[in-house]
Amino acid sequence: MTENSDDILTRLPARLKEARRAKGLSLEAVANLSGVSRSMVSQIERGESSPTISTLWNLTRALQVDFAGLLEESETTDQIEVLRSAEVPSIDNMGQSCRIRILSPPEEAGGHEVYDIRFDANGALNSQPHARGAREQLTVLEGAVRVTSGAATMELQQGDTARYAADVAHAIAAPDGPARVFLIVKNA
């Protein structure tokens, strides 16, 4: 990307305004969600003020839009977004002896989330209830796991898929050895 900062500053106000309107949000709603004052949001959208990186980050999180996507020059319809394996964000401190790779884009957090989870032997991921109506779909890619949702428990082998409520306490465990699962979380 070899653009000058004037090009970016020219596109940014309109892109932020488009994103806000696409979500059906008022200036006041964006201010409440982002912690950025209503007047500042308005000034940024009118091109009268240039946001700091921190302010821009807060606005993109509130609008659930991709930070870099706001600044891209052309439409992305004829492009393929690639996130190389080494760039995939991961969570290593959630659960016991498991590594969670986050495959879904950040703007989908809380909506439709996709994870690649690897368990060491005796690894487990115990989760508190998600939002009411939330569901999970898990497919075992390697090994075997035990899935618990509320009072129900099921043993799954490689290739098996389970769909279950995630608005109750639920867990995934690999008691018999290493395992890998593909997990989709769909919040209502």
Side-chain angles (χ1 to χ4, degrees):
M1 180 184 252
T2 58
E3 315 175 76
N4 68 42
S5 60
D6 291 339
D7 292 338
I8 291 171
L9 294 176
T10 301
R11 280 195 306 276
L12 185 60
R15 296 277 174 88
L16 282 171
K17 190 173 194 175
E18 287 170 18
R20 178 177 61 80
R21 288 184 171 169
K23 296 283 184 189
L25 296 173
S26 66
L27 288 170
E28 188 67 33
V30 171
N32 291 334
L33 290 170
S34 67
V36 176
S37 73
R38 182 188 182 284
S39 61
M40 178 57 75
V41 174
S42 178
Q43 289 173 15
I44 293 168
E45 284 188 0
R46 292 192 314 265
E48 296 173 1
S49 179
S50 297
T52 64
I53 295 296
S54 175
T55 298
L56 186 55
W57 180 258
N58 289 337
L59 290 171
T60 59
R61 295 300 95 208
L63 295 169
Q64 297 179 333
V65 295
D66 180 43
F67 187 86
L70 284 176
L71 307 178
E72 290 177 354
E73 188 169 354
S74 61
E75 293 296 316
T76 58
T77 55
D78 292 339
Q79 296 180 4
I80 298 173
E81 182 180 341
V82 175
L83 192 61
R84 299 291 177 201
S85 181
E87 300 168 335
V88 174
S90 67
I91 305 169
D92 296 321
N93 59 353
M94 236 177 120
Q96 169 189 331
S97 298
C98 69
R99 180 181 174 158
I100 304 168
R101 298 179 73 225
I102 306 167
L103 303 179
S104 50
E107 63 269 15
E108 292 185 13
H112 187 91
E113 302 168 9
V114 181
Y115 301 99
D116 175 4
I117 307 174
R118 293 176 189 260
F119 295 93
D120 293 335
N122 296 311
L125 178 61
N126 298 304
S127 301
Q128 294 300 311
H130 300 318
R132 185 176 179 172
R135 306 260 319 151
E136 289 186 358
Q137 178 174 313
L138 174 144
T139 299
V140 181
L141 301 175
E142 299 170 7
V145 298
R146 178 183 305 126
V147 175
T148 304
S149 174
T153 298
M154 186 61 63
E155 303 287 334
L156 302 171
Q157 303 297 317
Q158 184 173 332
D160 291 345
T161 296
R163 296 178 186 94
Y164 51 91
D167 58 358
V168 296
H170 54 288
I172 307 164
D176 300 325
R180 181 179 178 200
V181 301
F182 183 76
L183 178 69
I184 298 172
V185 179
K186 179 69 174 154
N187 286 303

